Amino acid sequence: MELTIDGQPCDLGTKAIAVPGYNAAKLAGPEACREGRSLKVTIPATPRNDAVAAFAGDPHAAGRFNETLHTAELTAEGSTLIGGTVRLLASSEAGYTLEIRDGGAGWAENAARRMFSALGVAWQGELTPTTVFESWTNASPVKFFPIHRDEYEQQNSSQDLLPAERLLSVDDYHPFLHIATLVGQLFSEAGYSVKSRFLESAFFRSLYMSGAYSSRDTTAAANRMGFAARRLAPATATANELGRVTANPKAIANTVGNIVDTATPQSVDTDGQAVSGLYNNGNCFSTDNGKIVFTPPTEVNVGFEYYLKYTTSHRIVSRTRLKGFDTIYLGPGSEFRFELANRYRDLRDAIVPNFTYRALVFDHVAGSQYRLVYVRNGTAGTVWTDFAARSAQVTTPASGTVAQPALLVRSGSQWAPYAGDWALYNGYVDETGETTVEVRLRTVAESVSPQSPKYFNLIYFTGAEEGMKLTLHKECALRPRFLSGPGFGSRIIFADVAQHRIRQAELLEALAHLFNLRFYTEEATRTVWIEPEGEFFGAGPEADWSRRTDFSQPVERREIVPEVHEVRTWRYQDGDGAVTRFDAGEESPLGAWSFDTGSYAALQGEKVVRNPLFAPSLSTAGHYLNAPSALILRVGDRDDAEEEGTNFTPRIVRYAGMRPLPAGERWGYPSGQAEYPLAAFHLAGDEGFTLCFEDRDGQAGLHRYYDRQVRREAARERITLSLRLAPHEFEALFTPGTGAPDIRSVFRIDTGAGVVRATLHAVGDYDPEKASVRCTFNRLTED
């Protein structure tokens, strides 16, 4: 054997040196990867060694060995057995005691020390509808997916033909972070490259985790100056020549007064009902010369959350859009533009006898003449009616069959197919009507002080035609949000949406738990191999070592099952809200999977292995009336009094891309398209998937990454024997990709009772001067 320190050869003593071996347990995750190998060796005090050790035995030496960084390498027959940094532990007249440290993986140490938000992902944007919409289809590492916060649904009292349209604001979209980008950035910043078929797979690259905005305990601020204000009565106003209605009590006309009226507890509304939830801490909410105002006792950074519900006159302008009050202005930088969706169903594909319809020509030009024809009793081109207005009410015959309506327009003396947009609605639908809208909006935080209070008299609604009516409902509410998440229009960077209070290693630990990952690092090349356990072992070339067994040493065979519990359960963190109620109904946790060893030799009881970071999620339909078929993630807990609403427990989802909606449904704000972004934890159906550990709805669960391991542990054995290994073979074990057998290989070994296939579990301390080294293998279920 040969030892060099800083490239200088050293003299070795006569005592044998055994190099530390290998243990597969060090592959299991970032924390295990932090621990490396170390070797203590004593070298004699020779002139050459004195110089290398900086004359450590001389108290008057000019320098100290440990004052500078030194590296060492121990080789045999040209093969490196261990190398790394070296430190001097002791010196005497007889010699020097050194420790060579082949340190743990630098990336693992880096990830354990650095906060998650410190990842330098290059992303920035504004929290606007454009950012939300574009994120669904571009290569952005941050995508904004729709969420439905768990809440008790409000009952609609609208007299409209359709229920209230709940508009999705930017608050209804939450940032989700591309996991493949996060993992790649983590290793890149540490200076490592990754080799992994799994991490490059389409499955892994479709995974996203929920982000988090900055938050802090704002209880003190809320207790000192918080308020919850409401209206006491509805108010109606008509649009001026600009199509605008203001919420300004000092305006002479076209105003609905203050947006809210009071925050005084036990106030009674116009219907004689006490309004619940009102409070006014420190009397910070008040009225000044008729205008509502927030005056804090000290300067504070605060945003405001508005819940607005109003009914607007509308005119149908296309099959997808209504004209009405479709813009809300809440102050500088907070103008919320959207489209009023036309939710009346076009019935052209489903006409029936003895039914009254309204034909509506959207692109009508004055003076045009139209003819409505259909197929009646099998005869095509049958005239249904002629008309010369933008719309006409028509009724199908009481008997016979009717189908395939078509619109013609008169062109000279001929009738030609109409090329514009038109629709056929229920007969009770008029060109004009009323639509009720509800929306929750949060403004960007601003500085408010006693000298510069916040007035709420610059609010207005616009987008309508002159004379259209707007009725502001009494359910409208207003409250402050102290240092809440970014509001509408805020400029944000990656760190703003990644404020999980975790270390970077916790993400890797969570992923390792989900997919049973193994990590192996080659420090010399700063390369990390990462694969699920079933793919990691077997990735190296298969090796026949059946003739290497040293039968002069005993062969030990030991069952693995006494080391594991009779039942092991893999599951997520406790879910919130909808998941908790789902678990209660199912009487088992969503996402959990258990394996029963079926052996009396196993440890008694159940061992539960929880994911260290993620909670499961439910996606349900029916929350967005414009697109009731859309599956939306449900987050939060309606029964949690401390629920702040901006953030929620971290969870992992798979992005399935843009999914088409059924006929007649549209996503609306902000895309206005007949498709929506589908991100889910679990999805049933032919194109479904699941991130549950258990199989569910015919989808294979994540237990597939554990099946091979747990079956082997329940039924197979661990074999320890001695093998004859040359130094270059020992070195190759820790150098994947050379073509020689390595720690990932499947080995054929002779146990004395037959040849079996196995993977390497551990290698004992290696002395190249001895004829053999003790090795432990896990026998595979497939011999």
Side-chain angles (χ1 to χ4, degrees):
M1 300 178 73
E2 297 177 349
L3 173 67
T4 59
I5 296 178
D6 298 333
Q8 300 298 314
C10 300
D11 297 322
L12 290 175
T14 57
K15 188 176 181 181
I17 301 174
V19 177
Y22 155 80
N23 191 325
K26 293 184 178 181
L27 307 174
E31 186 60 33
C33 290
R34 293 177 69 185
E35 183 180 346
R37 297 187 299 160
S38 64
L39 170 65
K40 291 182 181 179
V41 59
T42 298
I43 59 176
T46 65
R48 182 157 60 177
N49 290 349
D50 289 342
V52 170
F55 302 96
D58 182 357
H60 303 293
R64 309 291 292 177
F65 182 84
N66 291 330
E67 288 178 351
T68 57
L69 181 67
H70 301 274
T71 60
E73 192 175 74
L74 184 67
T75 63
E77 300 178 11
S79 299
T80 301
L81 304 182
I82 188 171
T85 60
V86 60
R87 60 176 177 163
L88 177 65
L89 300 180
S91 63
S92 67
E93 292 182 358
Y96 305 97
T97 301
L98 306 169
E99 182 185 41
I100 303 172
R101 293 185 292 183
D102 183 2
W107 62 263
E109 186 67 25
N110 203 52
R113 293 178 179 274
R114 300 183 71 213
M115 295 302 293
F116 180 80
S117 59
L119 281 170
V121 176
W123 179 87
Q124 62 179 359
E126 291 186 4
L127 195 53
T128 64
T130 300
T131 300
V132 170
F133 173 50
E134 290 181 348
S135 76
W136 302 341
T137 54
N138 63 20
S140 169
V142 179
K143 295 189 184 298
F144 291 83
F145 296 142
I147 57 171
H148 176 75
R149 290 184 171 84
D150 194 42
E151 61 186 2
Y152 289 99
E153 301 291 342
Q154 296 193 20
Q155 298 297 316
N156 280 305
S157 59
S158 172
Q159 300 301 311
D160 191 14
L161 297 177
L162 296 172
E165 179 177 6
R166 187 185 185 284
L167 295 174
L168 300 181
S169 71
V170 291
D171 283 359
D172 295 298
Y173 296 92
H174 193 79
F176 281 75
L177 316 178
H178 190 221
I179 287 179
T181 298
L182 303 178
V183 173
Q185 187 70 23
L186 187 154
F187 285 101
S188 176
E189 290 180 0
Y192 289 76
S193 62
V194 175
K195 291 187 177 181
S196 173
R197 293 187 301 273
F198 178 71
L199 266 57
E200 292 298 326
S201 67
F203 168 75
F204 186 78
R205 298 194 67 81
S206 69
L207 299 178
Y208 287 76
M209 66 173 287
S210 57
Y213 293 118
S214 177
S215 62
R216 72 178 187 192
D217 186 358
T218 59
T219 304
N223 289 340
R224 188 181 183 192
M225 56 187 117
F227 68 85
R230 284 273 301 274
R231 291 189 65 82
L232 297 178
T236 301
T238 57
N240 61 17
E241 66 278 5
L242 299 177
R244 179 182 299 180
V245 162
T246 65
N248 183 352
K250 310 305 289 184
I252 299 175
N254 311 107
T255 180
V256 289
N258 286 313
I259 198 74
V260 293
D261 296 323
T262 184
T264 303
Q266 300 304 312
S267 293
V268 177
D269 65 20
T270 188
D271 297 321
Q273 298 176 341
V275 180
S276 62
L278 298 178
Y279 62 90
N280 188 7
N281 297 332
N283 290 318
C284 294
F285 180 86
S286 61
T287 302
D288 178 14
N289 191 27
K291 298 180 293 185
I292 54 176
V293 60
F294 169 63
T295 310
T298 185
E299 185 174 359
V300 63
N301 205 44
V302 60
F304 296 91
E305 180 181 283
Y306 298 78
Y307 170 74
L308 302 175
K309 185 175 182 180
Y310 65 89
T311 297
T312 171
S313 301
H314 73 240
R315 182 170 63 86
I316 302 176
V317 293
S318 75
R319 273 186 294 163
T320 61
R321 191 171 72 87
L322 306 176
K323 178 71 171 178
F325 289 94
D326 59 8
T327 299
I328 302 171
Y329 180 81
L330 298 175
S334 294
E335 184 175 67
F336 179 57
R337 295 177 180 270
F338 54 94
E339 285 189 358
L340 290 173
N342 180 0
R343 292 177 287 154
Y344 298 115
R345 184 186 171 196
D346 183 4
L347 301 175
R348 284 183 289 175
D349 294 333
I351 64 171
V352 296
N354 197 30
F355 197 87
T356 300
Y357 298 89
R358 178 173 297 279
L360 186 54
V361 183
F362 301 118
D363 303 322
H364 170 69
V365 176
S368 296
Q369 299 180 50
Y370 306 103
R371 171 167 289 178
L372 196 57
V373 299
Y374 54 9
V375 176
R376 181 180 179 190
N377 298 329
T379 302
T382 303
V383 177
W384 189 356
T385 189
D386 292 341
F387 61 98
R390 187 172 185 263
S391 70
Q393 200 173 64
V394 292
T395 303
T396 50
S399 61
T401 61
V402 290
Q404 300 177 27
L407 186 66
L408 307 178
V409 63
R410 191 162 187 99
S411 178
S413 60
Q414 304 292 322
W415 292 97
Y418 180 66
D421 191 18
W422 71 286
L424 201 62
Y425 297 121
N426 258 308
Y428 58 75
V429 175
D430 290 324
E431 292 185 46
T432 60
E434 291 186 339
T435 294
T436 299
V437 175
E438 57 177 315
V439 64
R440 194 178 302 275
L441 296 170
R442 185 161 42 89
T443 60
V444 178
E446 57 186 294
S447 178
V448 183
S449 67
Q451 295 75 30
S452 181
K454 171 69 176 182
Y455 287 89
F456 302 91
N457 62 326
L458 298 179
I459 299 170
Y460 62 79
F461 303 82
T462 188
E465 296 174 348
E466 184 177 5
M468 282 187 169
K469 291 184 178 181
L470 179 140
T471 298
L472 201 60
H473 291 241
K474 66 177 185 178
E475 289 85 358
C476 291
L478 172 66
R479 64 168 177 159
R481 296 287 294 270
F482 301 99
L483 199 71
S484 59
F488 184 92
S490 299
R491 289 203 61 82
I492 49 179
I493 60 175
F494 175 78
D496 295 322
V497 298
Q499 290 295 315
H500 292 295
R501 295 172 182 172
I502 61 173
R503 304 285 175 176
Q504 295 173 10
E506 292 179 64
L507 170 61
L508 295 181
E509 294 282 3
L511 296 174
H513 173 267
L514 293 181
F515 308 116
N516 200 14
L517 298 180
R518 296 294 182 269
F519 302 78
Y520 178 72
T521 307
E522 186 182 45
E523 280 294 318
T525 60
R526 300 184 76 80
T527 303
V528 187
W529 282 264
I530 305 174
E531 299 291 352
E533 192 265 0
E535 297 176 24
F536 183 89
F537 293 108
E542 187 158 336
D544 186 352
W545 282 6
S546 59
R547 298 183 180 181
R548 301 293 188 90
T549 306
D550 177 7
F551 287 109
S552 68
Q553 302 295 321
V555 175
E556 300 175 2
R557 302 171 66 171
R558 183 162 47 91
E559 296 289 315
I560 303 176
V561 70
E563 301 176 12
V564 299
H565 287 75
E566 55 187 355
V567 176
R568 282 176 291 171
T569 298
W570 281 263
R571 61 168 298 182
Y572 286 83
Q573 293 287 315
D574 290 332
D576 52 10
V579 172
T580 301
R581 296 191 295 275
F582 176 87
D583 289 350
E586 292 280 309
E587 298 183 352
S588 65
L590 175 67
W593 174 74
S594 298
F595 179 80
D596 188 342
T597 63
S599 173
Y600 290 105
L603 297 171
Q604 290 185 343
E606 178 187 17
K607 180 179 181 180
V608 177
V609 187
R610 289 179 180 267
N611 190 274
L613 180 60
F614 297 125
S617 304
L618 279 178
S619 294
T620 51
H623 300 297
Y624 187 27
L625 293 179
N626 289 3
S629 301
L631 292 168
I632 302 177
L633 288 163
R634 297 190 67 174
V635 301
D637 190 343
R638 66 192 187 189
D639 295 316
D640 185 356
E642 302 299 322
E643 175 66 43
E644 191 266 339
T646 301
N647 295 321
F648 44 85
T649 52
R651 69 261 337 265
I652 185 172
V653 298
R654 186 177 182 188
Y655 182 41
M658 301 300 290
R659 285 295 180 96
L661 290 164
E665 295 187 21
R666 297 186 72 82
W667 187 246
Y669 179 89
S671 69
Q673 298 178 358
E675 58 182 5
Y676 75 105
L678 174 58
F681 176 80
H682 172 79
L683 180 67
D686 294 339
E687 299 181 39
F689 55 83
T690 188
L691 294 174
C692 296
F693 282 101
E694 78 276 19
D695 297 338
R696 184 175 289 273
D697 296 325
Q699 310 300 328
L702 299 186
H703 71 82
R704 64 187 183 272
Y705 295 105
Y706 285 90
D707 286 346
R708 175 178 164 178
Q709 175 187 335
V710 295
R711 287 199 304 266
R712 182 180 68 243
E713 291 169 342
R716 286 302 194 181
E717 59 195 359
R718 195 162 282 150
I719 302 167
T720 301
L721 45 72
S722 295
L723 292 178
R724 291 183 292 271
L725 289 183
H728 73 275
E729 292 173 319
F730 180 82
E731 179 187 29
L733 286 176
F734 310 107
T735 314
T738 63
D742 60 59
I743 60 171
R744 305 171 303 158
S745 295
V746 171
F747 299 89
R748 290 175 57 82
I749 57 172
D750 188 353
T751 66
V755 176
V756 299
R757 298 173 72 246
T759 58
L760 194 57
H761 179 74
V763 178
D765 290 350
Y766 177 68
D767 181 355
E769 296 183 2
K770 292 185 177 180
S772 60
V773 62
R774 296 294 281 179
C775 298
T776 302
F777 292 87
N778 291 320
R779 184 180 174 185
L780 298 178
T781 54
E782 316 88 4
D783 283 337

